[in-house]
């Protein structure tokens, strides 16, 4: 589903309201709320709106767990850090317990950070018994060749004008990852290491929310939502929740070439 908002402010407010609604619903129905946050510049307005009353007061923060879709291997206070973006715009402003903030610990190096983050995610999924029969943990399910039906309640994603999402870049080997939830990656032509969630993890979201703004995204957005599939060139096309909703929240500038 595509929802078009007139400008960046309206887009940010809409995204924040949807996140707050999803949080309240998840806690009401399952006792906890898990969100994966995107980096980049676009979601900053949504995070700030979510951190501002009255919306901020409607979110059950003590039962909210925060994850990230990807991270650059830079210190957490580096300007390029997705953790820093989330901290400044949201987490430092709301009463979310520190133990509910599941940072990708990139100071360990990309491979070690990816393994550690995967452990954090699997521990979170294992602790959830409400979604499946009592005592049957995620690992038990996997041993039986079964899969958990959900991991995140909301996965917020951005889209690059090259068609990437999270740190799933065109032509990357991580696009073919079928088992691991987290992979170490590099952006082609960029020496910086990164860690990203893979399709198998992102597609376990109950709701994926792309937030896309600006005229530099117009052509790519139209291609991604168009009829031709080319996953290795347009990795964002690989996002298709197994059992969930896919929402594209876009501003009017980015939506200009969409056929309606
Ligand atoms: C990141 C992201 C990345 C981002 C897109 C869009 O860490 O940069 O998670 O996938 O969402 O590159 O970025 P902008 O919002 O800055 O256009």
């Amino acid at each position: 589903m595509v929802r078009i908002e007139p400008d960046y402010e309206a887009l940010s407010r809409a995204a924040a309201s949807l996140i707050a609604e999803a949080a309240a619903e998840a806690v009401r129905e399952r006792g906890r709320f898990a969100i994966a946050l995107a980096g980049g510049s676009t979601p900053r307005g949504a995070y700030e709106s979510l951190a501002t009353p009255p919306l901020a007061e409607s979110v059950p923060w003590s039962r909210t767990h925060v994850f990230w879709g990807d991270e650059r291997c830079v210190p957490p206070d580096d300007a390029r850090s997705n953790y820093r973006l989330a901290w400044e715009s949201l987490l430092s402003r709301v009463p979310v317990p520190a133990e509910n903030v599941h940072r990708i610990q990139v100071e360990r190096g990309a491979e070690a950070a990816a393994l550690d983050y995967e452990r954090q995610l699997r521990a979170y999924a294992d602790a959830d018994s409400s979604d499946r029969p009592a005592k049957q943990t995620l690992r038990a399910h996997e041993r039986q060749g079964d899969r958990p039906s959900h991991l995140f309640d909301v996965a917020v994603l951005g889209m690059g004008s090259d068609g990437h999402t999270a740190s799933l870049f065109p032509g990357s080997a991580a696009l073919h990852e079928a088992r691991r939830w987290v992979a170490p990656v590099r952006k082609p032509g960029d020496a910086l290491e990164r860690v990203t969630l893979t399709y198998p993890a992102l597609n376990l979201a109950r709701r994926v929310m792309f937030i896309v703004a600006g005229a530099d995204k117009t052509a790519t957005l139209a291609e991604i939502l168009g009829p031709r599939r080319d996953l290795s060139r347009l990795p964002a096309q690989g996002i298709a929740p197994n059992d969930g909703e896919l929402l594209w929240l876009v501003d009017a500038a980015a939506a200009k070439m969409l056929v309606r």
Side-chain angles (χ1 to χ4, degrees), residues 56-254:
E57 286 147 7
S58 74
V59 176
W61 293 108
S62 66
R63 292 173 178 269
T64 294
H65 288 257
V66 180
F67 298 88
W68 276 262
D70 68 330
E71 187 58 282
R72 296 169 183 81
C73 290
V74 294
D77 60 351
D78 189 286
R80 295 164 294 175
S81 163
N82 289 344
Y83 172 79
R84 177 176 164 169
L85 165 75
W87 173 257
E88 283 179 354
S89 56
L90 175 63
L91 303 177
S92 62
R93 307 177 186 199
V94 296
V96 61
E99 63 272 21
N100 290 9
V101 176
H102 306 272
R103 186 169 73 79
I104 309 179
Q105 295 182 6
V106 281
E107 59 277 22
R108 298 167 176 229
E111 180 61 42
L115 290 173
D116 170 78
Y117 190 46
E118 177 128 7
R119 267 194 299 274
Q120 291 194 55
L121 287 165
R122 293 201 184 258
Y124 178 81
D126 273 0
D128 173 20
S129 54
S130 58
D131 211 13
R132 50 189 152 263
K135 290 188 181 160
Q136 255 193 321
T137 66
L138 169 65
R139 289 206 177 90
H141 268 249
E142 283 199 335
R143 275 196 296 275
Q144 294 157 11
D146 202 356
R147 295 280 168 200
S149 47
H150 297 106
L151 177 56
F152 305 112
D153 296 292
V154 173
V156 179
L157 288 173
M159 182 206 85
S161 46
D162 63 351
H164 82 262
T165 189
S167 282
L168 295 167
F169 294 100
S172 167
L175 303 181
H176 306 288
E177 180 57 57
R179 278 179 52 86
R180 288 179 72 172
W181 283 355
V182 189
V185 283
R186 275 179 211 269
K187 181 179 180 176
D190 185 349
L192 193 62
E193 286 189 300
R194 299 167 182 247
V195 174
T196 189
L197 292 181
T198 60
Y199 293 137
L202 288 166
N203 286 333
L204 285 176
R206 285 178 196 275
R207 171 181 282 183
V208 170
M209 185 189 294
F210 276 97
I211 311 179
V212 182
D216 58 320
K217 306 282 175 75
T218 310
T220 313
L221 182 67
E223 261 205 287
I224 287 176
L225 296 179
R228 289 191 49 194
R229 277 180 71 77
D230 186 353
L231 227 71
S232 67
R233 199 170 61 80
L234 300 168
Q237 285 189 328
I239 301 298
N242 303 339
D243 177 20
E245 184 189 331
L246 175 58
L247 174 65
W248 286 84
L249 266 180
V250 303
D251 75 350

Side-chain angles (χ1 to χ4, degrees), residues 44-61:
R44 182 181 285 273
Y47 299 164
E48 286 175 349
S49 173
L50 194 58
T52 307
L55 222 47
E57 286 147 7
S58 74
V59 176
W61 293 108

Side-chain angles (χ1 to χ4, degrees), residues 22-32 130-131 153 206:
E25 184 192 291
V27 169
R28 205 167 47 239
E29 291 179 7
R30 295 177 295 280
R32 62 183 192 166
S130 58
D131 211 13
D153 296 292
R206 285 178 196 275

